[in-house]
Amino acid sequence: EDVILDVLGLAHQYGFVDLEASISDYLRDILQIRNVCIIYDAARLYQLQFLTKVCCTFMDRHALEIIHHDSFLQLSPYAVKELLSRDSFYAQEVEIFRAVCQWVTASPDLESASRMMSVVRLPLMSLSDLLTVVRPTELVSPDTILDAIQEQIQSRNSDLRYRVPEENVALARHGTQVLQGEMRSALLDGDSHNYDMERGYTRHAINETGDHGVLIKLGTQAIINHIKMLLWDRDLRSYSYYIEVSMDQKDWVRVIDHTRYFCRSWQYLYFPSRVVRYIRIVGTNNTVNKVFHIVSFEAMFTHKEVKLAKGLVVPKENVAMIDKSATVIEGVSRSRNALLNGDTKNYDWDSGYTCHQLGSGALLVQLGQPYMIHSMRLLLWDCDNRSYSYYVEVSLNMWDWEVVADKTREICQSWQTLRFEPRPVVFHCVHLECPAQCEDSALPSVTITPSPVPSCPLNLPAIEDTASSPPVAKPEAEEGDP
């Protein structure tokens, strides 16, 4: 690495931009615990923003190993300060303090070293660590230690500046436990593939007596703003639920409220950052029986910028896709979900489209969860010069429908871009985009029911109906079984 970094320095000095970029790509590929510190220092020195960011991300993931490695002691003062100032550089604060002490001892620049203690977040350390680890070193003044203790006492937990790893904290190896719910061991095992009617999920009975749902205790208090959860999805059933968080199991805050919406499969949930120790997921409805089933659960902090409106995600990208848990509930096609596979070029008379008989039925799509949407885009079959008329409705629960686009008196062909006032959507046509991938964004679930075409009947070859009917409530299903 030393030779490569010398060449990088020459490339930077003489302005060989392409060579500089090639070396940066190579260094990115060979990053390891033993060399990332020296590469990080060089990237900062030569102002290589891409390589600097890659190094920071790598060190965030391996923070504890980095501060315990000998190469950490060789970092420049500015590099150490910049690295330890990152909220995403997560390790126990007492371990960071010990690493800074070792760096101070090894540093020839004692004046810079004395100022390095400012990057250690003393209020995050326990009283015992402040008195038995920090105080004996005499690197921190007694007044500074007292200020840290005072800040601990007077500040709310959520006001302290925590270090937040951008990773799932709801893992058994982090000490996280499922305190309440049936078949608890399945929820945190990380397996989101091997589950069926009898195994691979955690459940609780849905009732009207205030059932407390599934209760999770994190291994330590953590800041989270993102939950990823898999609802049991081996059929087309939907669930409704809410999620609450707490520090002490007394003061609960509801961060997700999907009690009025039909949700299925993977749930990608975002909310304002909160300090959390306990998480409670309570199911309020299952369209098949009276049991709520969760296959997988993750909780984390993310730096991803997500726009929220009335507690719902306002998506920038198309969410009417299979990998976003959208599904075609009603419609006729040779292959299931051809409407949502993203292929807008490979279609002909026989395949690549979804249809329904005029005057009967509709094309019905359910999004995985409610989104706040104000646009969508669809491709009408256009292998000849035929035209269509149609209208589009949206719904949250498949009972109450609202028309957002009325094209019943228009002659429509090929691509259609529809815009409307932002609204929550769960239910919704030969490629569907929601939101439209042009200038605006969109939301879940919409039904498109073509009205009679003025002069051009739908005259395509008959194909198999592969989409099944909407989920129907079956309360007689045996309680506890999916």
Side-chain angles (χ1 to χ4, degrees):
E1 290 86 352
D2 290 339
V3 174
I4 296 171
L5 291 174
D6 287 343
V7 176
L8 178 62
L10 291 171
H12 179 77
Q13 179 180 349
Y14 292 104
F16 296 154
V17 179
D18 291 343
L19 179 58
E20 198 175 64
S22 296
I23 295 175
S24 296
D25 289 341
Y26 174 76
L27 292 173
R28 174 196 60 190
D29 294 337
I30 66 166
L31 280 183
Q32 299 178 40
I33 299 296
R34 65 174 181 80
N35 63 21
V36 66
C37 287
I38 187 174
I39 294 174
Y40 174 60
D41 244 347
R44 289 186 69 262
L45 176 63
Y46 303 134
Q47 299 180 340
L48 304 176
Q49 296 183 0
F50 168 74
L51 186 57
T52 300
K53 184 177 180 180
V54 169
C55 290
C56 286
T57 301
F58 181 90
M59 290 190 285
D60 286 347
R61 294 200 193 104
H62 306 279
L64 192 60
E65 296 97 319
I66 295 297
I67 60 177
H68 285 163
H69 197 272
D70 291 342
S71 61
F72 177 78
L73 305 179
Q74 301 170 12
L75 281 174
S76 66
Y78 294 107
V80 172
K81 196 165 186 177
E82 187 175 281
L83 178 63
L84 299 185
S85 296
R86 292 169 56 83
D87 292 343
S88 52
F89 189 81
Y90 176 78
Q92 292 294 323
E93 207 64 29
V94 65
E95 296 297 330
I96 290 178
F97 175 79
R98 289 187 173 118
V100 172
C101 288
Q102 291 182 329
W103 185 91
V104 167
T105 303
S107 174
D109 186 356
L110 294 179
E111 184 177 351
S112 295
S114 63
R115 295 197 302 268
M116 204 56 59
M117 285 297 164
S118 64
V119 301
V120 180
R121 304 177 188 183
L122 298 178
L124 299 183
M125 298 175 65
S126 67
L127 180 61
S128 174
D129 287 337
L130 288 171
L131 296 179
T132 62
V133 179
V134 177
R135 186 166 172 258
T137 64
E138 298 183 352
L139 291 173
V140 179
S141 70
D143 285 344
T144 302
I145 296 176
L146 289 174
D147 289 342
I149 295 173
Q150 183 179 16
E151 186 175 349
Q152 281 182 349
I153 296 172
Q154 295 182 350
S155 299
R156 296 168 53 195
N157 281 326
S158 57
D159 292 336
L160 295 176
R161 189 186 171 197
Y162 288 90
R163 298 185 183 275
V164 187
E166 196 164 350
E167 64 177 12
N168 177 25
V169 295
L171 291 170
R173 62 183 173 86
H174 290 320
T176 300
Q177 309 170 54
V178 180
L179 302 182
Q180 188 171 298
E182 300 177 26
M183 303 164 66
R184 303 175 190 176
S185 61
L187 191 57
L188 305 179
D189 62 6
D191 187 351
S192 60
H193 299 286
N194 300 308
Y195 60 98
D196 52 31
M197 299 285 287
E198 300 178 351
R199 63 185 178 90
Y201 55 81
T202 299
R203 69 190 180 194
H204 79 84
I206 299 173
N207 55 54
E208 300 175 358
T209 60
D211 188 282
H212 292 297
V214 175
L215 180 61
I216 297 169
K217 179 184 179 181
L218 300 180
T220 183
Q221 61 188 23
I223 297 177
I224 64 172
N225 60 7
H226 175 40
I227 286 175
K228 182 180 175 184
M229 180 171 67
L230 175 58
L231 305 177
W232 195 90
D233 61 354
R234 295 308 194 198
D235 58 23
L236 286 176
R237 77 184 59 198
S238 297
Y239 297 89
S240 301
Y241 64 91
Y242 64 86
I243 298 178
E244 296 178 326
V245 298
S246 175
M247 283 293 295
D248 54 11
Q249 294 197 75
K250 297 177 181 178
D251 181 21
W252 290 93
V253 176
R254 188 170 295 192
V255 293
I256 299 294
D257 188 349
H258 285 174
T259 54
R260 299 187 299 115
Y261 311 124
F262 279 8
C263 309
R264 66 174 307 277
S265 197
W266 282 104
Q267 305 291 288
Y268 303 93
L269 310 171
Y270 298 86
F271 47 88
S273 302
R274 301 196 67 89
V275 182
V276 172
R277 187 68 190 274
Y278 297 91
I279 304 173
R280 185 164 63 193
I281 309 107
V282 181
T284 59
N285 187 43
N286 176 343
T287 55
V288 171
N289 57 30
K290 290 293 184 179
V291 184
F292 186 72
H293 309 87
I294 315 174
V295 175
S296 177
F297 183 87
E298 299 177 16
M300 67 198 75
F301 178 87
T302 178
H303 293 280
K304 179 181 179 180
E305 294 184 4
V306 178
K307 184 178 180 181
L308 299 174
K310 298 182 179 180
L312 301 181
V313 173
V314 182
K316 295 180 180 179
E317 70 281 351
N318 177 24
V319 294
M321 299 183 68
I322 300 169
D323 61 2
K324 290 292 185 180
S325 301
T327 188
V328 179
I329 293 180
E330 184 177 346
V332 181
S333 177
R334 287 200 182 281
S335 60
R336 184 178 180 83
N337 289 324
L339 192 62
L340 310 176
N341 63 9
D343 188 349
T344 64
K345 299 185 182 301
N346 299 310
Y347 61 96
D348 52 28
W349 287 87
D350 296 320
S351 62
Y353 58 86
T354 302
C355 64
H356 78 85
Q357 194 69 32
L358 295 182
S360 173
L363 302 183
L364 178 59
V365 172
Q366 178 179 358
L367 303 181
Q369 66 190 68
Y371 294 94
M372 190 65 69
I373 292 179
H374 60 74
S375 70
M376 63 184 66
R377 191 163 72 132
L378 57 111
L379 173 60
L380 302 178
W381 192 89
D382 59 357
C383 290
D384 59 19
N385 63 354
R386 75 184 62 202
S387 60
Y388 298 89
S389 299
Y390 64 92
Y391 62 90
V392 178
E393 294 178 318
V394 299
S395 174
L396 302 175
N397 53 23
M398 292 184 62
W399 298 317
D400 305 311
W401 294 91
E402 180 182 8
V403 176
V404 295
D406 187 349
K407 301 287 186 178
T408 57
R409 299 184 179 182
E410 299 182 24
I411 303 300
C412 305
Q413 292 180 310
S414 197
W415 281 106
Q416 306 285 297
T417 299
L418 310 173
R419 308 185 194 280
F420 41 87
E421 287 297 315
R423 69 201 64 217
V425 180
V426 184
F427 294 94
H428 185 13
C429 205
V430 155
H431 169 72
L432 170 70
E433 288 187 5
C434 179
Q437 295 298 282
C438 331
E439 301 175 358
D440 297 335
S441 311
L443 200 68
S445 205
V446 179
T447 315
I448 299 184
T449 309
S451 58
V453 180
S455 59
C456 208
L458 181 62
N459 186 26
L460 297 176
I463 47 181
E464 180 184 359
D465 186 349
T466 56
S468 58
S469 304
V472 178
K474 298 180 182 177
E476 71 278 2
E478 183 178 347
E479 185 169 279
D481 291 334

